Amino acid sequence: MHEIICPHCNKAFKIDEAGYADILKQIRDSDFEQQLHERLELAEKEKKIAVELAKSKVGSEMQKSAAAKDVEIQELKAKLDAGEVAQKLAVTEALNAVERERDALKNELEKIRQDSHAASELAEAKRVQSLQETAAKKNAEIQALKAALDANQVAQKLAVREALSEVEKERDVLSNSLKQAELEKQLAEKSLKDKYETQIKDRDDAIERLRDMKARLSTKMVGETLEQHCETEFNRIRSTAFPRAYFEKDNDARTGSKGDYIFRDVDEAGTEIVSIMFEMKNESDTTATKKKNEDFLKELDKDRAEKGCEYAVLVSLLEPDSELYNSGIVDVFHRYPKMYIVRPQFFIPIITLLRNAAMKSLEYKTELALVKAQNVDITSFENDLDKFKTAFAKNYDLASRKFKTAIDEIDKSIDHLQKTKDALLGTDRNLRLANNKAQDVTIKKLTRSNPTMAAKFKELDSQGSLDSE
């Protein structure tokens, strides 16, 4: 794939070998070689200038560093010489002072000897001993000064040696840096040379490959070859750019026609992002009857509508000399809705552009689907509520009729019980009357109009009296 920047809109497009060959067709080989030669000469001059600048910069830095180190060495040497002179002067002064003291002591001793001949030997011996002790002390001081002077000289030598060692180390570091800079310069020169040689070789190979591709386009890449080319380009980036996309041949010809490929992409929730119906068209340069892109737009729009695709794209190598179709992606919305015509090098870019544009409206689609789902839920709720109301009304009507029937039956039972009650009350009244009548029955009343029975009762009464006697 090659990346081309449009000079009008400054947009970058990736094109395949066939598209690159079409673009290179408009460039003469001699002009390309001349421009390439001029650019290589310019790159060579820039390389030489950069190398010279690097050399001069490194040399200037080395000279500055060496001059600074020389000045530092001279200052150290001057300090060392001044220290040695000062030490020598101090030693000389110390020796002169000791010698003067010694001479003074000798003169004093001689004077004492001359002036004290009369003194006792003990005093003289004590004085001589004191003078000897003083001389010993002075000698010890002189030895200490000499030892200190020697130690100072050793310390100065060590300091000078350490300074020289630091200077030598820095000198070695600068030398190594210079060597490393030289080596890096050589490596950079070699790298630039290899880079330009590789670029030239790659460009030559690309030119040769594109020439060969262009030669084969007119004879081999026809019909299914263009389809296979587009399918290969898509499968090359499917796993990274379109992991959930569907891109297969359209094998459904139930409506009488079919496109070449159908592309559908969905999000993680399964909502469709974009769908595209593709048609690939090409023909040999030796074909007698040349086709035009417009000859296939009507059928493509029909296939798009029948297969439920949102967009339609015609990938075409027809009309190869048309500046309109060679300029990039061409929309034909004025003829058919949501339809584009592209060259094969814009096959992947058109999918990417349409998918990215659809991603912006995916949120609105999601919200619309949510609203539709909510409307469906509300409609279902209303339907369920209507069903509940209908069922409740039906059950209420049935229960109401049953309740009325039960009330009627209860009323009938009440009437029946009331009649039974009335009958029972009537029987009770009759029984009470019968009982009253029975209580009113006496023998006198029974025999009032019956002489026979009166005679019988009378006879019974008399027999009862006799028995009691």
Side-chain angles (χ1 to χ4, degrees):
M1 297 294 291
H2 298 272
E3 188 175 68
I4 299 297
I5 299 177
C6 178
H8 301 289
C9 60
N10 294 325
K11 291 186 179 179
F13 299 95
K14 289 185 177 180
I15 63 175
D16 58 1
E17 307 297 340
Y20 196 60
D22 289 338
I23 294 175
L24 288 178
K25 180 183 177 182
Q26 304 174 15
I27 303 174
R28 296 182 180 274
D29 294 339
S30 60
D31 294 338
F32 177 76
E33 293 294 335
Q34 183 180 357
Q35 291 178 6
L36 179 61
H37 183 69
E38 290 176 357
R39 290 186 181 179
L40 289 176
E41 288 181 353
L42 181 60
E44 185 68 23
K45 290 179 181 179
E46 290 179 353
K47 180 187 74 174
K48 290 181 179 180
I49 293 172
V51 171
E52 293 297 331
L53 288 176
K55 285 182 178 179
S56 62
K57 185 177 179 181
V58 172
S60 176
E61 291 180 355
M62 289 294 298
Q63 289 178 359
K64 290 181 182 179
S65 178
K69 295 301 177 184
D70 292 338
V71 171
E72 188 175 357
I73 291 171
Q74 293 298 327
E75 290 178 354
L76 291 174
K77 286 183 178 180
K79 290 181 181 179
L80 181 61
D81 293 338
E84 290 180 354
V85 171
Q87 285 181 353
K88 289 179 180 180
L89 290 174
V91 171
T92 302
E93 290 178 357
L95 289 173
N96 291 332
V98 172
E99 288 177 355
R100 284 196 299 271
E101 289 180 0
R102 184 187 64 189
D103 295 337
L105 290 173
K106 285 182 179 180
N107 292 331
E108 187 179 357
L109 181 61
E110 187 65 26
K111 186 178 179 180
I112 290 171
R113 284 179 180 177
Q114 291 176 0
D115 294 339
S116 303
H117 287 294
S120 62
E121 293 181 355
L122 179 60
E124 186 177 358
K126 288 182 179 179
R127 187 178 294 175
V128 171
Q129 184 178 2
S130 175
L131 290 173
Q132 289 177 350
E133 290 178 354
T134 303
K137 290 180 179 179
K138 296 297 182 181
N139 289 329
E141 290 178 359
I142 291 171
Q143 294 297 327
L145 289 173
K146 288 183 177 180
L149 180 60
D150 294 337
N152 192 11
Q153 290 178 350
V154 172
Q156 286 182 349
K157 289 180 181 179
L158 289 175
V160 172
R161 185 174 298 173
E162 289 179 357
L164 290 174
S165 177
E166 291 293 332
V167 172
E168 289 175 354
K169 287 181 180 178
E170 292 181 359
R171 181 194 63 194
D172 295 337
V173 170
L174 291 174
S175 178
N176 293 331
S177 299
L178 182 60
K179 291 179 181 179
Q180 186 176 1
E182 186 68 21
L183 180 61
E184 289 178 354
K185 182 192 72 173
Q186 294 177 359
L187 291 175
E189 291 177 354
K190 185 178 179 182
S191 176
L192 286 173
K193 184 178 179 181
D194 294 340
K195 178 181 178 181
Y196 286 119
E197 289 179 353
T198 303
Q199 288 180 352
I200 292 171
K201 185 177 181 300
D202 292 342
R203 188 167 296 177
D204 292 339
D205 293 341
I207 292 172
E208 187 64 27
R209 186 170 60 253
L210 291 172
R211 285 175 179 171
D212 182 65
M213 177 65 72
K214 179 59 180 176
R216 290 187 293 108
L217 276 177
S218 60
T219 57
K220 184 179 179 181
M221 184 184 270
V222 293
E224 292 185 356
T225 305
L226 179 58
E227 296 178 8
Q228 292 172 1
H229 168 75
C230 294
E231 184 175 2
T232 301
E233 289 298 318
F234 182 82
N235 290 332
R236 190 176 296 170
I237 63 170
R238 179 197 288 266
S239 59
T240 56
F242 309 104
R244 292 183 294 273
Y246 169 88
F247 183 75
E248 301 293 341
K249 287 186 67 66
D250 182 15
N251 296 319
D252 186 5
R254 290 176 296 179
T255 58
S257 63
K258 63 184 183 67
D260 287 334
Y261 283 90
I262 294 177
F263 171 85
R264 297 183 188 275
D265 197 7
V266 297
D267 61 1
E268 296 179 354
T271 303
E272 183 176 289
I273 301 174
V274 65
S275 58
I276 308 172
M277 170 65 71
F278 282 100
E279 183 76 18
M280 286 73 171
K281 291 298 177 183
N282 190 14
E283 64 183 0
S284 175
D285 291 341
T286 59
T287 304
T289 303
K290 299 296 183 180
K291 296 289 186 178
K292 292 185 177 181
N293 292 318
E294 293 186 1
D295 298 339
F296 304 95
L297 300 183
K298 182 177 180 181
E299 190 70 19
L300 178 58
D301 183 66
K302 177 184 175 184
D303 294 335
R304 177 190 69 83
E306 290 177 350
K307 303 304 167 59
C309 295
E310 184 177 0
Y311 293 94
V313 176
L314 176 64
V315 183
S316 172
L317 283 173
L318 306 178
E319 302 181 56
D321 297 328
S322 173
E323 294 183 1
L324 174 64
Y325 300 121
N326 292 334
S327 62
I329 299 173
V330 180
D331 68 81
V332 288
F333 287 8
H334 61 283
R335 298 291 304 277
Y336 298 97
K338 296 186 176 182
M339 184 176 293
Y340 296 89
I341 301 175
V342 299
R343 295 302 189 194
Q345 62 267 26
F346 298 109
F347 170 67
I348 296 299
I350 188 64
I351 296 177
T352 305
L353 290 174
L354 293 179
R355 182 180 181 274
N356 292 340
M359 286 294 292
K360 296 180 180 180
S361 62
L362 180 61
E363 182 179 354
Y364 301 107
K365 290 183 179 179
T366 305
E367 292 180 358
L368 181 60
L370 180 60
V371 171
K372 288 182 178 179
Q374 291 176 351
N375 290 335
V376 170
D377 293 340
I378 293 173
T379 304
S380 299
F381 177 77
E382 291 177 350
N383 293 334
D384 293 339
L385 182 60
D386 291 338
K387 290 179 180 179
F388 174 76
K389 288 180 178 179
T390 302
F392 184 82
K394 182 179 180 181
N395 292 334
Y396 175 80
D397 183 63
L398 182 61
S400 178
R401 290 200 301 270
K402 294 289 186 182
F403 182 78
K404 186 176 180 181
T405 301
I407 293 297
D408 293 340
E409 293 294 329
I410 290 172
D411 290 339
K412 291 179 181 180
S413 299
I414 290 173
D415 291 339
H416 181 70
L417 291 174
Q418 186 65 38
K419 291 178 180 180
T420 304
K421 178 182 177 182
D422 293 340
L424 291 173
L425 289 175
T427 303
D428 178 69
R429 186 170 55 255
N430 292 324
L431 290 174
R432 182 169 51 80
L433 293 174
N435 184 43
N436 291 332
K437 290 179 179 180
Q439 293 297 329
D440 290 339
V441 174
T442 60
I443 295 173
K444 185 181 289 185
K445 288 181 179 181
L446 290 174
T447 60
R448 177 179 301 168
S449 58
N450 193 344
T452 302
M453 291 300 295
K456 290 291 185 183
F457 280 108
K458 193 172 189 178
E459 183 178 352
L460 288 173
D461 289 335
S462 61
Q463 286 181 358
S465 300
L466 290 177
D467 291 334
S468 61
E469 293 178 359

